[in-house]
Amino acid sequence: MEILLSQKSKVKNQKAKKNYLVSILFFLFSILSFSQEKPKDTIKVTSLDDVLVSAVRANKKNPVTFSNVSKQEIAPRNLGQDIPILLNYLPSVVTTSDAGNGVGYTYMRVRGSDGSRVNVTLNGVPFNDSESHGTYFVDLPDFASSLESIQLQRGVGTSTNGSGAFGASINMQTKSLQEKAYAEISNSVGSFATRKHTIAFGTGLHNNFEINGRISEIASNGYIDRASSTMFGYFFNVNYRKKTTSIKFLAFGGKEKTYQAWNGLEDLDKLENDRTFNPSGMYFDANGEMKFYDNETDNYWQNHFQLHWSEKWSEKWTSNLALHYTLGKGYYQQYKQGQVLADYNLSDYQTNTTSDLIRKLWLNNGFFGTTFSLNYKNSKTDILFGGAANRYLGKHYGEVVWTQFYVPAANKYYNNYGNKDDINCYIKASQTIGKLNLLVDMQYRMVFYNATSIYFNDVNDSFRFFNPKVGGNYQLNLNNSLYAYAGIANKEPRREDYENGSVKPEHLLDYELGWKYNSKKLTINTNAFFMKYKNQLVMTGALNNVGSPVFTNSGDSYRVGLEIESVVKVNDKITFQPNITLSQNKNRNFYFQRDGILDNLGTTNIAFSPNIVFGNATTYTPIKNLNLTILNKFVGKQFMGNIDSQQSILKDYNVHDFNVTYLWNINKGIQSILFSGLINNVFNSKYISNGYFYTYDDTFTAPGVTTTIEGAGYYPQAVRNFLIGMTLKF
């Protein structure tokens, strides 16, 4: 594929900035327009289902920055798009999609940290891949339909299981026990031949048992050419409940097949005039005619099994013990031109040493272990001891299934493994003294990693991390509280980091200072943060051979900023939910080799870390059960590399969506029908939410002269598109 290099236009999107400034002014006006009101005292009853996630979640008394999302908040836009897209409007969150329409491979960053730095747990069980630390929600199609709630903690947060939280942690709690029987049929269709079909059921509680489940199918052609996806997902939950005992068995997972769209678009002419062009699978036949391989696909199956036992031993003591097992297997298939057959352990064909070929790159892995917690709680004291012990076994191998000249017998031209043991224990103590709540949280984590690869020497590494956190929350009055927090996190390198030679563990010291205000009409959560890193693995902007970001240790770096999250209830019909993040994200003394000379660039911007992120949801309820919502997301200018090159700038963008729902309560055979509609990108903006930046040394310009060449690629997102759906509840 020919790479066309051209300096990116410096023309800024004036319209987007104007809309952004108007949104900010409206946000500030909304906050100043409402007086204080005393909230009513309420008593919260904690069910045994909450024990599943209490070990890794924060509560309102804790000095931790977090946002909660309920299943009721997820439902209106749950029409086929993936979980990161559904969380797009939370503070400091930036999302993107390979296919451009939020179906298939989707990603999120929080405070500039990518998905491999966001710790994700499902009922307290780690979800991040043990080697890549990535979170691939495409492997759990329509998982949002089986969620009870989501908590997003920003910063280091409280101790959790799995890989370290370097930007945020997300805990997902699956559907709780349903005492009454139910059935649901949900269907949605939309642009780019997108469709979702879901059937869900629950038996209700009978003789202490309840079973609920779901099966789903999602398919889409994608906005980008050939960026199709076909996915099947399932979720089954068997509950046993008797007085103080809860036992849950869960089986869930899915299968996905997506046409690759991770190469982006480097041709700026096509970006302007043919922005849906997809170079993946492109090759040229013997006549020089451009062709596309029709099976340039990613294929993966993943199945999760969890067994949870929660016990309430007394009014003050509860415990949870979980066993889990995850099995994953899949491959991506590629057409490669002009490959050297010897590189694939294949014999030459007569005098031909090179050939076009089709290859499969496999990952076959298993992940299993246990998580546990024991909790003592009274009106003033909350002490929790917990931990986990998990093992990951991964196999990496590649096969050639076709060449121009012959079909090879079954072969593995590489065959490697990656095995990891991850053990942690922690204790969290929360003590209320008058109006002050103190939190002490200490975690000790051990990681043992053994791996082989064609890209690095055999690895046999171990890491031991101590991750303490301390903080306090002071309740000034019924409406106002202040909190302060300091926490340390450490993180081991990923498999890809060993391949790139960036093998230093990372260290983070996170400070948070916040103010919370809560009244009947107005809620404000405001916090300032300072995140100081040592050997932070920052994205270089480049991609590896499977479209994943390449990282490098940056030495010293930091992120400092202010987050404001608010809910403004004007009256019974109008609600605003604005949030804004203002930040600076910098590398210190960043070294870069340009034109053959190693140069200290001093302070530079961290890649993919915008200084401004703004979101808002304005909901209008003209009549009962009819909700009209305008959603707005503004993301400021970003650098796609760490050297502040003008070639690496990703322009700011401002996008609006419109969501409408109407709930028709029938209660005659059919309990209710929920009608949903979603128009994405209402104003038809041609925006780009992601890209990549690369450099390479050209030594052929002149004898003895090295010139650094820069280039960039982009992932265009869909123009105006829609989804409509209907859910019948029985």
Side-chain angles (χ1 to χ4, degrees):
M1 178 178 63
E2 181 181 2
I3 298 175
L4 301 179
L5 299 175
S6 175
Q7 184 170 353
K8 191 176 177 183
S9 172
K10 298 181 181 179
V11 178
K12 297 183 178 179
N13 190 334
Q14 298 294 337
K15 182 178 179 181
K17 289 195 170 182
K18 181 179 179 181
N19 290 340
Y20 160 72
L21 291 174
V22 171
S23 300
I24 295 299
L25 290 174
F26 188 80
F27 166 58
L28 296 175
F29 173 80
S30 300
I31 289 179
L32 296 173
S33 298
F34 293 86
S35 60
Q36 297 185 6
E37 294 191 22
K38 304 292 185 181
K40 296 181 180 179
D41 292 330
T42 59
I43 299 175
K44 181 179 179 181
V45 179
T46 302
S47 70
L48 280 171
D49 289 312
D50 295 328
V51 178
L52 291 177
V53 294
S54 61
V56 293
R57 280 198 174 180
N59 60 56
K60 63 181 182 180
K61 289 185 177 181
N62 295 149
V64 176
T65 306
F66 66 90
S67 301
N68 288 328
V69 182
S70 67
K71 62 181 179 181
Q72 290 80 10
E73 295 172 289
I74 295 171
R77 294 191 296 121
N78 184 24
L79 299 171
Q81 294 176 307
D82 215 343
I83 286 176
I85 306 302
L86 298 178
L87 300 181
N88 181 52
Y89 294 96
L90 292 181
S92 299
V93 171
V94 177
T95 64
T96 188
S97 165
D98 280 357
N101 65 328
V103 182
Y105 272 93
T106 58
Y107 314 93
M108 65 184 298
R109 302 188 184 104
V110 184
R111 290 186 180 177
S113 297
D114 79 302
S116 68
R117 267 126 188 81
V118 177
N119 172 277
V120 179
T121 56
L122 310 178
N123 299 320
V125 174
F127 177 62
N128 300 67
D129 179 79
S130 294
E131 286 196 280
S132 71
H133 298 178
T135 49
Y136 304 104
F137 293 102
V138 68
D139 298 330
L140 294 177
D142 198 26
F143 195 59
S145 293
S146 296
L147 290 177
E148 189 72 21
S149 64
I150 301 173
Q151 183 176 91
L152 170 65
Q153 295 182 28
R154 300 185 294 279
V156 170
T158 59
S159 289
T160 185
N161 300 314
S163 61
F166 260 56
S169 58
I170 297 175
N171 175 265
M172 300 185 181
Q173 180 182 1
T174 56
K175 184 171 289 187
S176 60
L177 180 147
Q178 306 294 307
E179 293 189 0
K180 295 183 179 180
Y182 71 93
E184 295 181 9
I185 300 175
S186 178
N187 294 282
S188 60
V189 296
S191 302
F192 320 117
T194 301
R195 61 189 185 276
K196 179 173 85 80
H197 309 293
T198 301
I199 298 176
F201 72 93
T203 63
L205 188 61
H206 297 284
N207 298 321
N208 301 322
F209 281 93
E210 187 260 354
I211 301 173
N212 61 68
R214 168 191 58 83
I215 56 173
S216 303
E217 182 186 35
I218 301 176
S220 177
N221 290 342
Y223 169 67
I224 302 300
D225 295 345
R226 302 181 314 286
S228 60
S229 55
T230 302
M231 298 173 284
F232 170 79
Y234 70 93
F235 177 90
F236 293 100
N237 183 7
V238 180
N239 292 282
Y240 171 79
R241 176 71 56 82
K242 187 174 182 180
K243 293 183 180 179
T244 60
T245 301
S246 173
I247 298 175
K248 299 168 70 77
F249 173 74
L250 301 96
F252 56 90
K255 177 182 179 181
E256 60 87 8
K257 181 175 184 177
T258 58
Y259 194 97
Q260 295 171 23
W262 59 50
N263 290 315
L265 190 56
E266 297 178 16
D267 188 330
L268 297 185
D269 180 67
K270 287 189 178 297
L271 188 65
E272 181 66 26
N273 302 304
D274 188 13
R275 67 196 309 267
T276 65
F277 182 83
N278 182 8
S280 296
M282 182 176 66
Y283 68 96
F284 294 89
D285 64 15
N287 299 319
E289 184 178 351
M290 182 188 297
K291 300 283 187 179
F292 293 95
Y293 177 50
D294 61 4
N295 199 24
E296 189 95 351
T297 56
D298 178 81
N299 306 261
Y300 199 74
W301 306 261
Q302 192 172 80
N303 301 286
H304 298 252
F305 305 95
Q306 297 181 3
L307 179 64
H308 295 268
W309 169 37
S310 300
E311 188 73 31
K312 189 175 180 65
W313 301 98
S314 68
E315 288 300 314
K316 297 179 181 180
W317 288 93
T318 57
S319 66
N320 183 71
L321 176 66
L323 302 175
H324 66 88
Y325 177 63
T326 302
L327 176 65
K329 185 176 182 179
Y331 63 91
Y332 66 91
Q333 188 157 312
Q334 290 180 310
Y335 188 103
K336 302 292 288 185
Q337 281 197 283
Q339 301 294 291
V340 178
L341 292 172
D343 292 343
Y344 294 86
N345 296 328
L346 298 174
S347 60
D348 296 346
Y349 181 78
Q350 298 176 355
T351 60
N352 293 293
T353 60
T354 63
S355 172
D356 291 1
L357 54 82
I358 297 171
R359 65 183 189 181
K360 288 184 177 179
L361 283 72
W362 284 86
L363 172 61
N364 187 347
N365 53 10
F367 178 64
F368 56 92
T370 181
T371 66
F372 55 88
S373 65
L374 178 64
N375 185 211
Y376 170 84
K377 187 175 183 179
N378 61 28
S379 59
K380 294 185 177 181
T381 303
D382 190 348
I383 301 175
L384 187 145
F385 172 76
N390 301 306
R391 168 164 286 189
Y392 172 90
L393 302 174
K395 297 179 181 179
H396 305 261
Y397 54 94
E399 300 174 331
V400 176
V401 297
W402 174 87
T403 71
Q404 282 179 282
F405 307 111
Y406 63 93
V407 176
N411 76 310
K412 293 183 179 179
Y413 64 91
Y414 71 90
N415 189 10
N416 298 295
Y417 68 85
N419 300 333
K420 177 181 281 190
D421 293 320
D422 189 335
I423 303 169
N424 85 88
C425 61
Y426 53 81
I427 184 169
K428 305 177 186 181
S430 174
Q431 179 67 43
T432 299
I433 306 172
K435 294 184 177 182
L436 178 64
N437 179 265
L438 297 174
L439 174 70
V440 177
D441 183 342
M442 294 179 290
Q443 181 196 53
Y444 185 71
R445 180 169 177 250
M446 298 181 292
V447 178
F448 305 94
Y449 184 50
N450 296 277
T452 61
S453 172
I454 58 176
Y455 300 108
F456 55 73
N457 296 327
D458 293 356
V459 171
N460 186 10
D461 276 354
S462 62
F463 303 91
R464 290 169 173 81
F465 300 130
F466 178 55
N467 302 315
K469 299 104 177 171
V470 63
N473 184 83
Y474 186 76
Q475 192 72 38
L476 293 170
N477 51 45
L478 289 176
N479 300 104
N480 294 276
S481 63
L482 300 173
Y483 69 88
Y485 166 95
I488 290 175
N490 295 277
K491 191 168 182 295
E492 74 278 11
R494 308 165 310 142
R495 182 181 182 91
E496 292 88 341
D497 301 323
Y498 283 96
E499 295 177 354
N500 301 325
S502 301
V503 296
K504 297 178 182 178
E506 305 172 78
H507 177 82
L508 167 61
L509 177 56
D510 179 25
Y511 300 96
E512 308 269 337
L513 181 64
W515 164 57
K516 296 180 181 180
Y517 173 82
N518 183 37
S519 72
K520 184 177 179 181
K521 288 189 174 182
L522 177 62
T523 299
I524 304 174
N525 296 326
T526 302
N527 73 286
F529 62 89
F530 177 64
M531 305 171 73
K532 183 181 179 182
Y533 296 86
K534 182 69 176 179
N535 294 321
Q536 181 184 186
L537 282 162
V538 297
M539 289 178 280
T540 66
L543 304 179
N544 63 15
N545 60 351
V546 295
S548 297
V550 175
F551 292 77
T552 185
N553 290 115
S554 69
D556 294 330
S557 56
Y558 67 89
R559 303 180 189 273
V560 59
L562 175 69
E563 295 171 327
I564 305 175
E565 179 183 16
S566 179
V567 179
V568 183
K569 296 181 179 179
V570 180
N571 51 43
D572 292 339
K573 294 187 176 182
I574 301 177
T575 302
F576 300 100
Q577 294 179 272
N579 63 75
I580 185 172
T581 300
L582 305 172
S583 65
Q584 292 288 312
N585 311 273
K586 303 293 183 179
N587 301 297
R588 289 174 170 166
N589 299 315
F590 191 81
Y591 284 85
F592 175 70
Q593 184 167 303
R594 177 181 281 132
D595 300 338
I597 300 173
L598 187 64
D599 188 17
N600 184 352
L601 301 182
T603 301
T604 67
N605 289 283
I606 299 177
F608 297 102
S609 300
N611 294 339
I612 301 174
V613 178
F614 172 80
N616 182 44
T618 301
T619 300
Y620 175 55
T621 306
I623 59 174
K624 185 180 179 180
N625 295 336
L626 175 62
N627 292 318
L628 310 174
T629 303
I630 290 288
L631 301 127
N632 172 217
K633 190 76 174 186
F634 175 87
V635 178
K637 179 184 74 173
Q638 308 170 57
F639 287 91
M640 298 186 292
N642 296 280
I643 63 175
D644 289 354
S645 168
Q646 294 299 305
Q647 183 84 353
S648 71
I649 292 177
L650 189 64
K651 291 192 297 185
D652 55 29
Y653 60 88
N654 195 22
V655 180
H656 295 77
D657 299 338
F658 175 67
N659 186 205
V660 56
T661 61
Y662 178 71
L663 180 63
W664 181 19
N665 290 312
I666 302 175
N667 297 320
K668 293 181 179 179
I670 298 176
Q671 178 182 341
S672 65
I673 302 177
L674 176 67
F675 300 93
S676 304
L678 179 63
I679 302 176
N680 296 298
N681 195 1
V682 172
F683 298 113
N684 209 36
S685 174
K686 291 185 177 181
Y687 73 104
I688 299 170
S689 60
N690 193 23
Y692 54 88
F693 171 72
Y694 59 88
T695 64
Y696 63 90
D697 291 335
D698 183 358
T699 58
F700 299 99
T701 52
V705 176
T706 299
T707 302
T708 298
I709 305 298
E710 300 178 356
Y714 306 93
Y715 296 88
Q717 300 300 288
V719 292
R720 185 187 302 116
N721 62 96
F722 75 93
L723 291 164
I724 56 173
M726 182 172 66
T727 299
L728 285 76
K729 293 186 178 182
F730 300 90

